[in-house]
Amino acid sequence: MIKETLEKIEQISEKTLSAIKESVDLDAINDVRVKILGKKGELTAVLKTMGKLSADERPVIGAKANEVREAVERAISEQTAKLKSLHYEARIKSEAIDVTLPGKRMRSGRPHPMSIVLNDLKEIFRSMGYTVVAGPEIEETRYVFDMLNTFEGHPARDESDTFYISDDVVLRTQTSSVQIRTMLENKPPIAIISPGRVFRRDEFDATHSPVFNQCEALVVDKNITFADLKGTLETFMKRLYGDSVKLRFRPHNFPYTEPSAEVDLSCFKCNGQTPDSGYCGFCKNEGWVEMLGAGVVHPQVLRNCGIDPDVYSGFAFGMGLERITMMRYEIDDLRHLYENDIRFLKQF
Ligand code: DAH
């Protein structure tokens, strides 16, 4: 009886050990484990017959059974480790990266031409001692109009030009409102620029947009004259466009400056020489392009802000940033600046 049982155990052991070695995955190993060592497993079944053995046979079989159980468990853990490492190697192989393959080109963004120009402009004015300030886009009529000497009935206040939020609140039509806010909050000497969005009831076309950008400049100090304005604009425009650019001042009227001027720049594209085609679309054969409005701050505007016009004087100007940008890059349609067509933007 004992001999048979020992043989049976030995058979189970051999069969089991080779089944474990042949297992190709962890599930298969587990199946073997259950089949042999589980509650209904083969080895368990043999051990259940031990009751039929005599008292001195039992420990012999018990020891043999333990020996087999240990061997099986050792084989299971060895095979498990082997399968895991094979699996790991296969994964490394399949995930290998060929570093010699050519890379994928990353698409990088570029600054918008308006941002390039605005940054240059800020840099130029900062280097001349100006501070860059901001003001609200939704603004009270007293800052946009009244305190700038633009009283009820003035055409600039017309509802056909201005977006009214209420009787005394508008979307600002000009950055000149920041002049007033600045003078109310600061004592001279003052030297600021204020770039920002402005709003007008205009149709969208090649030269107009209901939303566009301006930059305001204001200087207030003792003995500021029109000559300072001229010198400042010359310096600024030459730094932006190069030394060959020429400025032309034409008399004009703004309610908040006296005297006032509109300032033109010599046409970049044709430089005043009519091109071979016979027509310069940029200046419409004028040779000059209108760039900005400017003037000596009206004494009443200073007074409105609590600044004594007998002691202080100032100059101011306001320019359209789209116009400045279009001039710089010879862009002939305003809409290119807003459409954000990647083929257009890639050029800058
Ligand atoms: N506000 C004017 C406009 O929107 C531009 C302007 C003209 C600003 C004369 C000024 C100035 O500061 O003095 O067309």
Side-chain angles (χ1 to χ4, degrees):
M1 175 73 186
I2 181 160
K3 200 167 162 236
E4 272 169 36
T5 309
L6 281 174
E7 267 170 21
K8 179 97 182 123
I9 292 176
E10 190 55 41
Q11 265 174 23
I12 293 174
S13 166
E14 271 169 30
K15 193 174 77 178
T16 306
L17 292 178
S18 72
I20 290 170
K21 282 216 178 90
E22 281 158 22
S23 298
V24 291
D25 58 36
L26 300 181
D27 283 347
I29 292 180
N30 200 42
D31 288 348
V32 174
R33 183 209 304 274
V34 173
K35 219 168 115 207
I36 307 305
L37 303 178
K39 263 193 196 154
K40 293 180 182 161
E42 286 180 41
L43 187 62
T44 317
V46 172
L47 294 180
K48 274 183 188 154
T49 65
M50 277 183 35
K52 292 181 194 153
L53 300 172
S54 63
D56 41 326
E57 283 173 333
R58 245 177 256 152
V60 182
I61 298 298
K64 180 69 182 168
N66 277 338
E67 191 186 297
V68 170
R69 182 196 299 277
E70 272 166 28
V72 167
E73 270 163 5
R74 206 177 314 119
I76 287 177
S77 78
E78 278 169 15
Q79 184 68 3
T80 303
K82 190 172 152 199
L83 286 178
K84 278 189 178 159
S85 105
L86 281 177
H87 177 75
Y88 183 65
E89 270 168 33
R91 214 181 110 190
I92 287 186
K93 250 191 206 146
S94 75
E95 289 177 4
I97 294 168
D98 183 351
V99 292
T100 64
L101 283 175
K104 282 189 195 142
R105 182 178 281 271
M106 296 269 263
R107 284 230 212 140
S108 64
R110 315 256 179 117
H112 191 282
M114 294 275 292
S115 306
I116 300 174
V117 167
L118 181 56
N119 282 338
D120 289 354
L121 193 142
K122 284 183 187 168
E123 198 43 52
I124 293 171
F125 279 103
R126 282 205 186 104
S127 77
M128 298 198 283
Y130 289 65
T131 308
V132 180
V133 302
E137 293 172 358
I138 300 172
E139 185 58 290
E140 297 177 47
T141 46
R142 59 186 168 138
Y143 297 139
V144 185
F145 298 129
D146 302 70
M147 294 176 81
L148 286 163
N149 260 356
T150 313
F151 292 106
E152 296 284 352
H154 191 282
R157 301 181 70 129
D158 209 315
E159 275 200 52
S160 63
D161 295 319
T162 306
F163 292 105
Y164 277 84
I165 306 264
S166 67
D167 281 350
D168 49 11
V169 177
V170 297
L171 297 185
R172 66 178 178 186
T173 54
Q174 52 183 3
T175 43
S176 301
S177 49
V178 186
Q179 284 189 29
I180 301 296
R181 286 185 172 269
T182 304
M183 286 190 281
L184 287 174
E185 280 165 23
N186 301 278
K187 290 195 164 59
I190 291 169
I192 57 110
I193 59 164
S194 185
R197 266 188 296 204
V198 299
F199 308 84
R200 291 184 195 173
R201 285 174 171 259
D202 277 328
E203 293 296 331
F204 195 34
D205 64 23
T207 51
H208 295 86
S209 161
V211 185
F212 61 103
N213 293 269
Q214 280 191 335
C215 182
E216 194 77 13
L218 172 73
V219 172
V220 182
D221 201 352
K222 288 178 178 149
N223 304 316
I224 297 291
T225 68
F226 199 89
D228 297 308
L229 169 64
K230 263 192 107 169
T232 302
L233 283 174
E234 296 251 348
T235 307
F236 157 60
M237 289 299 184
K238 288 194 163 159
R239 283 186 55 187
L240 199 60
Y241 291 115
D243 277 342
S244 61
V245 78
K246 290 198 231 16
L247 276 71
R248 179 173 80 170
F249 288 71
R250 277 181 292 106
H252 200 76
N253 174 49
F254 295 106
Y256 31 90
T257 41
E258 181 58 38
S260 305
E262 273 188 339
V263 182
D264 303 334
L265 228 54
S266 51
C267 179
F268 239 67
K269 204 146 195 179
C270 71
N271 204 15
Q273 282 6 110
T274 311
D276 292 343
S277 68
Y279 185 70
C280 176
F282 218 73
C283 65
K284 303 186 174 65
N285 281 7
E286 293 279 327
W288 298 93
V289 182
E290 184 194 321
M291 294 302 282
L292 54 91
V296 172
V297 181
H298 196 292
Q300 186 57 43
V301 173
L302 294 177
R303 232 174 269 130
N304 291 343
C305 300
I307 295 174
D308 184 351
D310 293 329
V311 182
Y312 294 103
S313 56
F315 68 74
F317 55 93
M319 54 202 161
L321 289 175
E322 280 80 354
R323 180 68 64 85
I324 302 255
T325 306
M326 288 166 78
M327 187 81 170
R328 172 116 176 239
Y329 296 114
E330 298 186 13
I331 299 164
D332 57 6
D333 193 320
L334 179 69
R335 288 167 290 199
H336 289 312
L337 293 175
Y338 303 127
E339 279 162 0
N340 291 332
D341 185 326
I342 200 80
R343 292 164 301 179
F344 170 76
L345 294 176
K346 258 187 358 203
Q347 304 173 74
F348 302 95

